Amino acid sequence: MSSAATSPAGPDHLWSVDEHLEDILSTVRPLEPIELQLLDAQGCVLVDDVTVPVSLPPFDNSSMDGYAVRVADVAGAGEEFPAVLEVVGDVAAGAADPVRVGPGQAARIMTGAPLPPGAEAVVPVEWTDGGLGEGPVSGMRARSLAPEGAEGQVRVHRPAETGAHVRARGSDVRAGALALEAGTILGPPQIALLAAIGRGRVRVRPRPRVVVLSTGSELVQPGEELTTGQIYDSNSFALTAAAREAGAIAYRVGAVADDADILRTTIEDQLVRADLLVTTGGVSVGAYDVVKEALSDVGDEDVAGAGVDFRKLAMQPGKPQGFGSIGPDHTPLLALPGNPVSSYVSFELFVRPAIRALMGLPDVHRPRVRAVLKSDEALRSPKGRRQFLRGSCTEGEVSPVGGAGSHLIAALAHADALIVVPEDVESVEPGTEVEVVLLG
Amino acid sequence: MSSAATSPAGPDHLWSVDEHLEDILSTVRPLEPIELQLLDAQGCVLVDDVTVPVSLPPFDNSSMDGYAVRVADVAGAGEEFPAVLEVVGDVAAGAADPVRVGPGQAARIMTGAPLPPGAEAVVPVEWTDGGLGEGPVSGMRARSLAPEGAEGQVRVHRPAETGAHVRARGSDVRAGALALEAGTILGPPQIALLAAIGRGRVRVRPRPRVVVLSTGSELVQPGEELTTGQIYDSNSFALTAAAREAGAIAYRVGAVADDADILRTTIEDQLVRADLLVTTGGVSVGAYDVVKEALSDVGDEDVAGAGVDFRKLAMQPGKPQGFGSIGPDHTPLLALPGNPVSSYVSFELFVRPAIRALMGLPDVHRPRVRAVLKSDEALRSPKGRRQFLRGSCTEGEVSPVGGAGSHLIAALAHADALIVVPEDVESVEPGTEVEVVLLG
């Protein structure tokens, strides 16, 4: 892993959103594949092409409950002049050694059961008298209640062509065919196919383990009592939930006090279970910005790409950001600002793509659309910074929700989109078309 | 819970897809609410309105790293004639008892720290000399490295109005305001807000526990060896994955042999962990259809609505279906047909809405759109049955994937939509607009 731990552009360079994102995505590599039980691989990306080892279905089998017959025996059959056949037994699904059907004979057969030797077609039970000697029946009686159904005579009321109601071996997929391509995301239907061809385990890129910790001596765990100067820790909850939603296995460490030594120790302890570390707070220009203090010098100078770079982005909210890698495995770390809205917006723009890149997903970004701004007044945006305003988007229109303040967490909870105001735009009039990131 | 365990329309009634779905949705009720830890409630529906117990932010605090000042002291300040103030100490975030700022004084203050008594505004550190006696600085030095920054003098280069760079108490949300309405689905931003107002636990409708079992003596666990007449069990894998995707906690029991007593015992054993039971196979007209055999008479005749009703639907695939409730708690049970594509389509149409109804979600259905059929030939559909064909849908066009056969599981894995052909349509020409269920 390489990282721009030392900004080539120098410490005063104002990074664009795109430059920062590109730095992250050019550094974060998909995780090494592992073999997982099929159901544990749900939502993951397949690493290898999977070919079909055995044709599906693996043998000719009945698609109906009925009677396996020889075509000649039922030729010309009708309700008035039925073909009368001797029932030689049942063929249930899973039958390993089905009875043989000779001339003038039929075997009662169940859906999915192998077509017995000698038989060429299946007539559905509804086309017969079901062995009762009367008119057409609507079904069979349970074998356990009426064992005599597997013997005696059956009257068949309609003819059948060769292969009728038979699912031929290999008619679904043939051995050697490509079942799923490398890169396929495994949803329920793909899991169905893998199971059907006998794959109990599968090689995929695993879900990344993301460790989330917030920093700040003012932070209190929700549910506890607030005292003067304190607020509740919301970032570690929000980002843990967001990391899970993005596909990660997320661990919430919770709030760490503003003490560089404690923070460094905590992060070192967490490295063992982290494919990605996310911190919030402590990245700005204050005298107690411990994330910056603790991580600015962790890089081994002899190792290219180690270390965390703190930088300013031409962005609102979310100006101060840190990115780099730490520890012996060069675990990537994103240090987000501490304001709840700043950290959430930063997560959406930078952490979510990183998580999805670790998973090897082809599409790491949220969908973006164009929508018409619906607002009582023009939106103001600082020149030279790309602004992300919370909005609510429906049917081609987007309305701002709450203001631009980065602490307006209540508004965030009622937004479903981010309105993007480009760097060179200072004012957006109502009715203008804008770019919108859909969060839903 | 009530159920149509005895079809009012009689055993020969052919149910429409809508009648069957309505029977399910009028029977399945949202689960009783429980109180969960905040992160365990992700994706669940809030049961009560949540009001704000304490205003956010709970106290006036700084939105910048800088200096807390009295407005009169910095009036008219400029770079040439800075206001020179005595630094009386630091106010860090979390400070319980900040220093007092008197006339001619300033306190160095960090983002999120309480505005100290006496101060009326904050000037960002970039508008000052940072106490170094030279030009404007870009930030503070870490307290741990330069403790002298909390004392001495600071030169302020710009004036500030009352309240500048101060986030006022209650400016985000006020105590007593409605934070989130009952019925809100808890995603990351809603979890952020609940944490921010101090809620460590929240009352929601829990995720339903869904037990999935497949039936069939022909079924073998993927990864094991197939012998004659056997196939791999794919349904229990596919539906467990699909139940999870729908929001459930899903338990895969795996394949049960075609033996009514074993099946009945297995289901009774599973009831303790089931809010919903889903079976596949054994619901048709064969002599070994054990789900039908085992469950047709489980209803206590003295209890209204107990028991499972097996019925035929005017639908392809998925004609045979069972629905009802079993056990002392009247646990709902959906018995799906055994063909992999039939069971998957049945899951999408009937089980997924049931799971989402149990969660109390407002929208239980997959989105549906209209799309233009792109196909080399007309689609054929049996009269009187609503057909659901696998398709691939992009940009207003839908193409069929694979054929109509209910065993074409390979095609299902490459579909992302179901093409709906209504009961009264027997042929759909290419270029016709059709209804499409999006599975994505």
Side-chain angles (χ1 to χ4, degrees):
Chain A
M1 174 175 293
S2 86
S3 127
T6 49
S7 304
D12 291 335
H13 175 64
L14 193 64
W15 290 61
S16 74
V17 171
D18 298 332
E19 283 171 337
H20 184 60
L21 183 61
E22 196 189 317
D23 186 32
I24 294 166
L25 292 181
S26 67
T27 304
V28 171
R29 293 273 153 260
L31 294 176
E32 286 301 308
I34 56 171
E35 194 170 84
L36 290 180
Q37 294 285 346
L38 203 44
L39 281 174
D40 293 335
Q42 185 171 3
C44 294
V45 172
L46 193 64
V47 171
D48 313 301
D49 287 351
V50 173
T51 52
V52 178
V54 52
S55 294
L56 287 186
F59 47 88
D60 293 353
N61 70 91
S62 179
S63 70
M64 300 290 279
D65 300 312
Y67 292 85
V69 297
R70 299 166 80 97
V71 167
D73 287 341
V74 295
E79 223 168 301
E80 216 167 324
F81 301 101
V84 182
L85 303 175
E86 178 202 355
V87 179
V88 293
D90 274 356
V91 190
D97 191 13
V99 290
R100 184 173 184 83
V101 175
Q105 296 181 331
R108 197 164 67 158
I109 192 168
M110 313 304 147
T111 306
L115 191 70
E120 297 154 336
V122 170
V123 287
V125 64
E126 295 92 337
W127 297 5
T128 76
D129 72 346
L132 301 179
E134 298 176 8
V137 293
S138 62
M140 300 176 191
R141 293 187 65 200
R143 167 70 185 242
S144 57
L145 304 172
E148 70 278 8
E151 51 196 53
Q153 287 185 333
V154 64
R155 281 168 178 73
V156 175
H157 300 137
R158 287 170 66 174
E161 288 175 9
T162 301
H165 306 108
V166 174
R167 298 187 287 219
R169 176 168 192 277
S171 61
D172 196 339
V173 284
R174 293 198 171 276
L178 182 66
L180 294 174
E181 252 182 301
T184 301
I185 304 168
L186 300 181
Q190 293 75 34
I191 286 173
L193 176 57
L194 290 170
I197 65 172
R199 291 291 296 256
R201 303 170 67 85
V202 65
R203 238 162 64 91
V204 295
R205 300 209 184 271
R207 296 177 178 278
R209 299 160 303 156
V210 175
V211 169
V212 177
L213 56 90
S214 48
T215 67
S217 295
E218 75 278 26
L219 300 179
V220 172
Q221 168 107 349
E224 294 179 10
E225 204 66 36
L226 281 190
T227 60
T228 318
Q230 296 184 319
I231 60 170
Y232 288 110
D233 172 24
S234 63
N235 287 343
S236 69
F237 289 88
L239 301 196
T240 301
R244 285 182 187 155
E245 196 188 74
I249 297 163
Y251 301 113
R252 177 186 158 268
V253 175
V256 179
D258 290 327
D259 178 301
D261 287 336
I262 293 176
L263 179 64
R264 214 179 278 118
T265 308
T266 305
I267 288 178
E268 276 165 15
D269 283 352
Q270 293 293 330
L271 277 175
V272 69
R273 63 166 179 176
D275 297 311
L276 177 68
L277 280 152
V278 180
T279 66
T280 67
V283 291
S284 193
V285 296
Y288 299 77
D289 279 340
V290 291
V291 174
K292 207 165 168 178
E293 186 183 344
L295 300 182
S296 285
D297 57 357
V298 293
D300 181 340
E301 287 180 12
D302 295 336
V303 180
V308 177
D309 182 48
F310 291 87
R311 53 188 67 158
K312 288 179 182 167
L313 264 63
M315 170 178 169
Q316 186 186 60
K319 185 179 179 187
Q321 301 275 349
F323 171 62
S325 65
I326 64 166
D329 298 327
H330 292 200
T331 306
L333 181 145
L334 279 93
L336 312 184
N339 283 320
V341 175
S342 307
S343 75
Y344 183 73
V345 169
S346 302
F347 182 96
E348 284 292 339
L349 295 178
F350 306 122
V351 184
R352 193 173 195 277
I355 288 172
R356 296 174 70 81
L358 286 165
M359 295 180 74
L361 289 167
D363 192 3
V364 302
H365 295 296
R366 291 278 197 190
R368 291 184 180 226
V369 298
R370 308 284 303 176
V372 173
L373 178 65
K374 196 179 157 189
S375 172
D376 292 337
E377 49 187 25
L379 301 182
R380 305 281 164 208
S381 182
K383 189 172 169 58
R385 294 174 74 175
R386 191 179 302 179
Q387 198 179 37
F388 295 89
L389 289 159
R390 277 63 65 202
S392 169
C393 190
T394 37
E395 294 174 5
E397 286 190 336
V398 65
S399 312
V401 176
S406 53
H407 64 304
L408 296 171
I409 196 169
L412 180 64
H414 295 92
D416 60 13
L418 296 176
I419 304 170
V420 186
V421 184
E423 291 81 345
D424 57 353
V425 175
E426 289 178 80
S427 173
V428 183
E429 293 299 321
T432 311
E433 203 180 77
V434 290
E435 187 180 14
V436 172
V437 181
L438 300 179
L439 300 178
Chain B
M1 174 174 297
S2 87
S3 127
T6 49
S7 304
D12 291 334
H13 175 65
L14 193 64
W15 290 63
S16 74
V17 171
D18 297 333
E19 283 171 340
H20 183 60
L21 183 62
E22 196 190 316
D23 186 31
I24 294 166
L25 291 182
S26 67
T27 304
V28 171
R29 294 270 153 264
L31 293 175
E32 286 301 310
I34 58 171
E35 194 170 85
L36 290 181
Q37 295 285 345
L38 203 45
L39 281 174
D40 292 336
Q42 186 172 1
C44 294
V45 172
L46 192 65
V47 171
D48 313 302
D49 286 351
V50 173
T51 52
V52 178
V54 52
S55 294
L56 287 186
F59 47 88
D60 294 352
N61 70 92
S62 180
S63 70
M64 300 291 279
D65 299 313
Y67 291 85
V69 298
R70 299 165 80 97
V71 168
D73 288 341
V74 295
E79 223 168 301
E80 215 166 329
F81 301 101
V84 182
L85 303 176
E86 176 202 358
V87 179
V88 293
D90 274 355
V91 191
D97 192 14
V99 291
R100 185 173 182 84
V101 175
Q105 296 180 331
R108 196 164 68 157
I109 191 167
M110 313 303 147
T111 306
L115 190 71
E120 297 155 334
V122 171
V123 287
V125 65
E126 295 93 337
W127 297 3
T128 76
D129 71 346
L132 301 179
E134 299 177 8
V137 293
S138 62
M140 301 175 192
R141 293 188 64 201
R143 168 69 186 243
S144 57
L145 303 174
E148 69 277 9
E151 50 196 53
Q153 286 185 333
V154 65
R155 280 167 179 73
V156 175
H157 301 138
R158 287 170 65 173
E161 288 174 10
T162 301
H165 307 110
V166 174
R167 298 186 288 219
R169 177 170 190 277
S171 60
D172 195 340
V173 284
R174 293 199 169 275
L178 182 65
L180 293 174
E181 251 182 301
T184 300
I185 303 168
L186 300 181
Q190 292 76 36
I191 286 174
L193 177 56
L194 290 170
I197 65 173
R199 290 291 296 256
R201 304 171 68 86
V202 65
R203 238 161 63 92
V204 295
R205 301 208 184 272
R207 295 179 179 277
R209 299 160 303 158
V210 175
V211 169
V212 177
L213 56 91
S214 49
T215 68
S217 296
E218 76 278 25
L219 299 179
V220 173
Q221 168 108 349
E224 294 180 10
E225 205 66 36
L226 282 189
T227 59
T228 319
Q230 296 184 320
I231 60 170
Y232 289 111
D233 172 25
S234 63
N235 287 343
S236 69
F237 289 88
L239 301 196
T240 300
R244 284 182 188 155
E245 197 189 73
I249 298 162
Y251 301 113
R252 178 187 157 268
V253 175
V256 180
D258 290 327
D259 179 300
D261 287 336
I262 293 176
L263 179 65
R264 213 178 278 119
T265 307
T266 304
I267 288 178
E268 276 165 14
D269 283 353
Q270 293 292 332
L271 277 175
V272 69
R273 64 167 177 174
D275 296 312
L276 176 68
L277 281 153
V278 180
T279 66
T280 66
V283 293
S284 193
V285 297
Y288 299 76
D289 279 341
V290 291
V291 174
K292 206 166 168 178
E293 185 182 345
L295 300 182
S296 285
D297 57 356
V298 294
D300 181 341
E301 289 181 11
D302 296 336
V303 179
V308 177
D309 181 48
F310 291 88
R311 54 187 68 157
K312 288 180 182 166
L313 263 64
M315 168 177 172
Q316 184 184 62
K319 186 179 178 186
Q321 300 276 348
F323 172 62
S325 66
I326 63 166
D329 298 327
H330 293 199
T331 307
L333 181 146
L334 279 93
L336 312 184
N339 284 320
V341 176
S342 307
S343 75
Y344 182 73
V345 169
S346 303
F347 182 97
E348 284 291 339
L349 295 178
F350 306 123
V351 184
R352 192 172 195 278
I355 287 171
R356 296 176 69 82
L358 286 165
M359 294 180 75
L361 289 166
D363 193 2
V364 301
H365 295 296
R366 291 277 198 192
R368 291 183 181 227
V369 297
R370 309 283 302 175
V372 173
L373 178 65
K374 195 178 160 191
S375 174
D376 293 335
E377 49 187 26
L379 301 182
R380 304 283 164 206
S381 182
K383 189 172 170 59
R385 293 174 74 175
R386 191 179 303 180
Q387 198 179 36
F388 295 89
L389 288 160
R390 276 63 66 204
S392 169
C393 190
T394 38
E395 292 175 7
E397 284 189 337
V398 65
S399 312
V401 176
S406 53
H407 65 303
L408 295 172
I409 195 169
L412 181 64
H414 296 93
D416 60 13
L418 296 175
I419 304 170
V420 186
V421 184
E423 290 82 345
D424 57 353
V425 174
E426 289 176 79
S427 174
V428 184
E429 293 298 322
T432 312
E433 203 181 77
V434 290
E435 187 180 13
V436 172
V437 181
L438 299 178
L439 300 177

